[in-house]
Amino acid sequence: MEKVWKFLEVSEEKLEKLKSTGFPEEFLRILLNRNIDNPIAIERYFEPKSRYLFSPFVIEGICAAVKRIKQAIETEESIRVYGDRDVDGITSTVLLTETLRSYHKLVDFTVPVIEDGYGLNPDYIDSAERDGVRLIVTVDCGISNIEEVEYASSKGIDVIITDHHEAPSRLPLSLIHISEPTRPY
């Protein structure tokens, strides 16, 4: 079966005003659907400057996460970044691991293989315990791993969950859940 793409309706008047930017019409329609509806907003989208970014401290749970990570650094605890194997998971894993390593030498990472399923895995938690890890920070996974987070907790391992996927009605009892805020564009 052939896939047919359908564009959401946009204001033809706004579309006409944006054609002067030189972007293809289909691309402009996508931007309009994301409420990026003027040349200045388009410039900010493609050439972001730090002054246009929102404060990360508006993200629910971020202060508690920073406090726990600082504690791990100050007390020389091992930190493991646990990522998903897709593009955003691997990218997030690399970014967070490299950032944490600039502050702390006891940081490593793991990205489970496809056979181990999605999200946290008890075998990887056992491995973290054997390696002396006291804090796991998930990236792009973990929001639905209720039993696995409880298992990590029973091993004395704190878990900070950073996951942009839709949260289930029941969340894991992790140390911290970091939720993505509504973007201001």
Side-chain angles (χ1 to χ4, degrees):
M1 187 169 143
E2 185 178 326
K3 194 174 221 177
V4 177
W5 290 89
K6 295 182 181 179
F7 288 99
L8 298 174
E9 294 297 317
V10 297
S11 162
E12 293 300 321
E13 182 181 322
K14 285 184 179 182
L15 184 61
E16 277 303 312
K17 288 181 182 177
L18 292 182
K19 285 184 179 179
S20 66
T21 63
F23 287 109
E25 184 175 317
E26 294 81 8
F27 192 70
L28 294 173
R29 288 180 182 279
I30 293 169
L31 292 173
L32 285 168
N33 284 318
R34 293 182 178 182
N35 294 320
I36 302 170
D37 60 2
N38 65 67
I40 293 171
I42 291 173
E43 180 182 343
R44 285 184 180 175
Y45 187 78
F46 288 107
E47 294 184 33
K49 308 273 190 277
S50 60
R51 68 180 172 266
Y52 299 134
L53 299 175
F54 63 87
S55 169
F57 293 100
V58 302
I59 300 172
E60 183 180 334
I62 197 75
C63 291
V66 169
K67 183 177 179 181
R68 179 60 183 95
I69 291 168
K70 282 178 70 174
Q71 176 191 344
I73 292 168
E74 290 167 358
T75 60
E76 295 285 316
E77 294 177 76
S78 289
I79 301 171
R80 178 156 298 159
V81 178
Y82 188 103
D84 189 22
R85 64 185 165 272
D86 60 9
V87 173
D88 55 327
I90 292 170
T91 303
S92 301
T93 299
V94 170
L95 286 169
L96 184 58
T97 300
E98 292 302 311
T99 299
L100 290 173
R101 283 180 175 167
S102 71
Y103 295 98
H104 187 46
K105 63 182 181 241
L106 300 174
V107 177
D108 67 8
F109 68 92
T110 192
V111 176
V113 295
I114 196 163
E115 293 82 14
D116 292 329
Y118 172 77
L120 285 170
N121 178 302
D123 292 339
Y124 286 86
I125 294 168
D126 290 339
S127 175
E129 180 189 32
R130 282 192 303 275
D131 294 342
V133 173
R134 308 306 328 138
L135 176 61
I136 293 174
V137 182
T138 73
V139 290
D140 193 38
C141 64
I143 198 66
S144 61
N145 292 122
I146 294 167
E147 293 83 14
E148 293 83 354
V149 171
E150 288 174 4
Y151 184 66
S153 181
S154 76
K155 301 274 186 185
I157 300 172
D158 289 332
V159 178
I160 296 172
I161 297 173
T162 65
D163 192 347
H164 67 97
H165 296 99
E166 188 170 334
S169 58
R170 182 172 167 235
L171 294 174
L173 297 174
S174 74
L175 179 67
I176 300 157
H177 302 96
I178 298 179
S179 307
E180 192 171 351
T182 304
R183 301 225 171 219
Y185 30 79

